[in-house]
Amino acid sequence: MIATRAIAAADSARWLELWDGYNRFYETDLPPRVTEQTLARLLDPATSVIGRIAEYDGRVAGFSASIVHPSTWEIEPVCYLEDLFVDPAARGHGIGRALIEDLIAQCHERGWSRLYWHTRADNLKARRLYDQFSSADDFVRYRLFRDGR
Ligand SMILES: CC(C)(COP(=O)(O)OP(=O)(O)OC[C@H]1O[C@@H](n2cnc3c(N)ncnc32)[C@H](O)[C@@H]1OP(=O)(O)O)[C@@H](O)C(=O)NCCC(=O)NCCS
């Protein structure tokens, strides 16, 4: 019922719909050129941006977007899960879990030594799922933007 795989160019239109839903979830309105570049990177196997898709009953119903990068703490690359989204109409059927399990499998296949991600402290729906994989640690996030945002 659930199948996961790499994103392909043929998924672009559906991915854009899901990306739009993800942006609405975060109440953000990214400039179209950011979306275009993100999609282009996801589709380009030469970049370190990893796009994975979940199909549910044959229809694309969710995606993950991750960045693989070197780490000063480990010999092998590590994988940062930046975005995870499931179509609201398809939630609660294990698709989110399947997308995380898919990345764990990718870690094994591609030799990435760690998968990590963060979420808002109050995203209880997501955290209920995440807590089934690992416990949250006690790090907090700081951000500085060049343009002073
Ligand atoms: C967080 C999110 C990705 C989870 O996706 P999902 O597909 O609904 O997740 P799952 O179905 O794998 O798990 C969610 C619930 O369904 C349950 N579930 C899993 N398999 C199931 C199945 N076969 N049948 C019924 N329920 C199932 C899970 O146990 C979990 O329920 P519980 O935590 O209440 O016990 C989704 O809610 C989402 O896109 N949210 C908005 C964006 C977001 O928050 N992204 C993460 C930001 S970091």
Side-chain angles (χ1 to χ4, degrees):
M1 224 161 47
I2 303 172
T4 55
R5 59 171 173 80
I7 191 173
D11 300 315
S12 297
R14 177 65 179 140
W15 182 86
L16 285 165
E17 284 175 11
L18 295 172
W19 182 248
D20 196 43
Y22 183 65
N23 279 260
R24 278 200 305 275
F25 173 78
Y26 272 117
E27 295 175 348
T28 184
D29 193 16
L30 289 175
R33 65 190 180 90
V34 173
T35 293
E36 278 160 31
Q37 175 163 282
T38 296
L39 179 58
R41 284 175 169 159
L42 288 166
L43 291 172
D44 181 354
T47 72
S48 51
V49 183
I50 307 293
R52 304 287 298 175
I53 286 293
E55 287 183 10
Y56 182 65
D57 284 346
R59 176 169 162 80
V60 173
F63 72 87
S64 68
S66 308
I67 317 294
V68 173
H69 64 90
S71 166
T72 56
W73 285 40
E74 316 197 17
I75 301 288
E76 294 162 324
V78 298
C79 179
Y80 170 59
L81 167 58
E82 184 153 30
D83 309 301
L84 179 73
F85 184 75
V86 171
D87 183 342
R91 289 189 190 154
H93 295 291
I95 299 168
R97 177 180 290 126
L99 282 163
I100 296 176
E101 285 170 349
D102 167 79
L103 280 176
I104 295 169
Q106 292 292 305
C107 284
H108 287 285
E109 263 175 47
R110 304 207 208 181
W112 308 329
S113 65
R114 169 159 51 95
L115 172 66
Y116 71 103
W117 65 94
H118 57 251
T119 193
R120 285 198 172 133
D122 65 357
N123 191 347
L124 300 182
K125 204 186 236 184
R127 293 189 64 183
R128 229 177 19 234
L129 173 65
Y130 300 163
D131 286 347
Q132 294 170 32
F133 288 93
S134 175
S135 334
D137 61 25
D138 57 357
F139 276 62
V140 291
R141 186 171 70 147
Y142 292 81
R143 295 196 302 168
L144 277 175
F145 290 90
R146 192 185 58 199
D147 62 7
R149 258 180 290 163

